[in-house]
Amino acid sequence: MRHLYVNGSWTPSTSGEVVNVINPATEEVIDQVPAGTTSDVDSAVAAASAAFAAWSATAPADRGKLLADAAGLLKDRAEQIAATIATDMGAPIKLALKVQTLMPAGVMESYARMAETLAAESRVGNSLILREPAGVVGAITPWNYPLHQAVCKVAAALAAGCTVVLKPSEIAPLAAYALADVLHDAGLPSGVFNLISGYGPVVGEALAAHPQVDMVSFTGSTKAGRRVAALAGGSVKRVALELGGKSANIILPDADLEKAVASGVSHAFVNSGQTCSALTRMLVHWDQYDDAVSLAVAAARTYTVGDPFAEGTRLGPLVSAAQRNRVIRYINLGQEEGARLVTGGTDYPLERGYYVEPTVFAGVAPGMAIEQEEIFGPVLSIVPFGSVDEAVDIANGTPYGLAGAVWAGSEEKAVRVARRLRTGQVAINGGRFNPLAPFGGFKQSGVGRELGEPGLEEFLEVKALQL
Ligand code: NAD
C-alpha cells in the first residue's frame, strides 16, 4: 500500500481509503494509491509553508544543482519509469520512454540551468526590481503526460524558490510517485515538495481554495479549470491554467500534401489522441480535399493497435473505460451530425483493453460538435475550405486556442498565416515540438505559460524598491 509524501516522509492518509490504479491494456487493478483528504492537504500545505522561508532563501544556483541531480536520477531510472507509464496510462513503450520520460528529464535539466542563471534583479530609473518566489504552490495535473505535466510545474516552481504540493490525476498517478522518489533521493529538504494523491473534487478543490496556498497551477480540462479558478478567486491567489484544445492543421494548396497529411495524422493520433495540443482538425482546400482524405485513410490504416509493450504498436489503449465511452459517443455523434466516417469507427479492435480504432471523418463542417469539442481520442476531422481567410476563420472558430499548424509552399507564407491564428503555439511546415519554448493557451485553452523562461516567471512575484 502506497502512502502520501508529506514533509519529507511517506505518511498514511487520514482516510484509509484507496483509489485503484488500472492497467488500461488489461483492465486489471495493478496498484492502489491513497484517496487523500482535506486534512491531508492541510498537513502538506503546513509542511510546504514551514519549508518556504529556508528554501526561498537558498542560492538559486544551489536549487539548480539539486534539480540537476534530480534530472540525472530521472534519466538513470528512465526505463523503469517509462514501463510504469506504459502500464498505468497505456502509452506505447517507445513513446513512454522518449516523450513521456526523457523529455521531462530534459525539462528538469533546463530549469536547473535557468535557476543557476536566474537574473532576479534589475534596475529601472530609481527603482531596483526584484523577482521573488510566489510562495506555496498547489500543482494539479492530468493523466495523459503524467510525468511531463508534473515536471513542468514542479521543476519550474522549485527553481523559482517556491514550495509545492502536487496532486496528480487519480487515473494514472504512478509517475508522480516516481517523481517524489527522485526528489527525495536527490536530497530535497523536507517539506519543499509534497504529494497528495486522490480525487479532484476533494484534494484538488482543497488545494485551490486553501488560504495558505499562494498559487495554483492546473493542467486538465477546461471544465475543471473553471472550477479551480473560481475557488482560487476566494483568496485571490495566482492561477495558471493549461486546458483543452481543438487545434487546426491548415494545409494550403501549395504545400507538400503527402508530407502534410502524413504528419498531420501522426500528430492527431500520438498518445492515442490523448494530447491537449493534438492537431485534431485537418483543414484542406476543396481542390485537394479528396486526395487528402484518401491519404489520411491510408495513413490511419497503417496504425498497429495493441499492447503498449509489443514491438510495432503505435496506438495503445485509451486510459480508461470512461475515456473510451466518451470517444465512442463522439464517433456516433459525428455520424448523426452528417459527417462521413471514412475509416475506423465504434468497433472494439481487441477483446480486452480500452482500445479504439484510429478514426477519420470527412465532410466535417464548421460548427459540428466533432469540429468544436475536444474528443481526446484517435479521431481526426477533415474540414474543407475555399480560401485562406476561410481557413483562418475556421481555425479560430472554436472556444479554444492552444496550438495549430500551417503547411505552405514557403516558410514565409506559412508564418504569415500563423500570425493570424489565436493560439499559443503553431508548427510551421512540420516544425517539431520544442520543450524550451513557452507552451499555453489563448482563449479557453488557459492562462499563463509553461516551459522556457515564461514557465519559470509564472512562479515569481515582482517587487519594486524605490531608491
Ligand atoms: P480533468 O480536468 O478531469 O483532471 C485534471 C486534474 O484535475 C486531475 O488531477 C483531477 O483530479 C483534477 N480535478 C478534477 N476536477 C477537479 C476539481 N473540481 N477541482 C480541482 N481539481 C480537479 O482532466 P483529465 O481528464 O485528467 O485530462 C484531460 C484534459 O486535460 C483534457 O481536456 C486536455 O486537453 C487537458 N490537458 C491540457 C494540457 C495543456 O497543457 N493545455 C495538457 C494536458 C492535458
Side-chain angles (χ1 to χ4, degrees), residues 124-411:
V124 55
N126 67 322
S127 298
L128 175 66
I129 312 296
L130 309 180
R131 283 174 186 77
E132 298 185 353
V136 174
V137 173
I140 303 174
T141 52
W143 45 261
N144 55 331
Y145 291 86
L147 183 63
H148 173 69
Q149 286 142 346
V151 165
C152 285
K153 299 182 190 313
V154 172
L158 296 181
C162 296
T163 56
V164 179
V165 179
L166 171 66
K167 191 215 94 66
S169 167
E170 61 278 24
I171 296 171
L174 301 183
Y177 277 79
L179 177 63
D181 279 333
V182 158
L183 292 170
H184 182 89
D185 295 347
L188 196 70
S190 298
V192 173
F193 170 82
N194 306 272
L195 168 67
I196 306 288
S197 54
Y199 294 107
V202 180
V203 178
E205 296 204 8
L207 270 178
H210 204 292
Q212 262 92 51
V213 171
D214 300 287
M215 170 172 175
V216 60
S217 177
F218 172 88
T219 300
S221 60
T222 296
K223 184 173 169 226
R226 265 188 215 112
R227 176 79 181 135
V228 164
L231 289 169
S235 49
V236 198
K237 30 172 94 48
R238 286 180 152 232
V239 180
L241 302 171
E242 296 288 344
L243 308 176
K246 190 73 186 176
S247 299
N249 180 13
I250 300 179
I251 303 178
L252 295 176
D254 59 349
D256 179 337
L257 187 69
E258 265 180 50
K259 205 168 155 192
V261 172
S263 160
V265 169
S266 76
H267 275 81
F269 290 169
V270 70
N271 210 33
S272 295
Q274 302 167 123
T275 302
C276 48
S277 55
L279 300 173
T280 49
R281 295 183 296 153
M282 185 180 283
L283 276 48
V284 184
H285 194 274
W286 276 114
D287 290 349
Q288 292 163 311
Y289 194 74
D290 291 342
D291 290 345
V293 170
S294 306
L295 287 166
V297 168
R301 289 187 179 153
T302 64
Y303 274 70
T304 308
V305 181
D307 179 358
F309 287 93
E311 188 67 35
T313 292
R314 266 186 96 188
L315 212 69
L318 297 184
V319 77
S320 63
Q323 191 62 23
R324 178 172 64 182
N325 292 342
R326 171 192 164 98
V327 172
I328 297 287
R329 205 168 57 240
Y330 273 107
I331 297 175
N332 283 322
L333 185 59
Q335 294 175 88
E336 285 157 28
E337 287 180 306
R340 198 153 41 89
L341 180 70
V342 285
T343 192
T346 55
D347 287 347
Y348 292 173
L350 294 167
E351 262 176 39
R352 214 166 54 132
Y354 309 126
Y355 294 94
V356 172
E357 298 273 8
T359 295
V360 179
F361 276 106
V364 178
M368 287 182 178
I370 59 164
E371 193 269 338
Q372 288 284 310
E373 296 172 22
E374 186 173 52
I375 299 174
F376 234 51
V379 181
L380 173 68
S381 293
I382 312 187
V383 188
F385 67 81
S387 67
V388 173
D389 285 349
E390 191 189 357
V392 169
D393 284 348
I394 295 170
N396 287 335
T398 79
Y400 294 112
L402 188 58
V406 182
W407 290 81
S410 72
E411 183 177 302

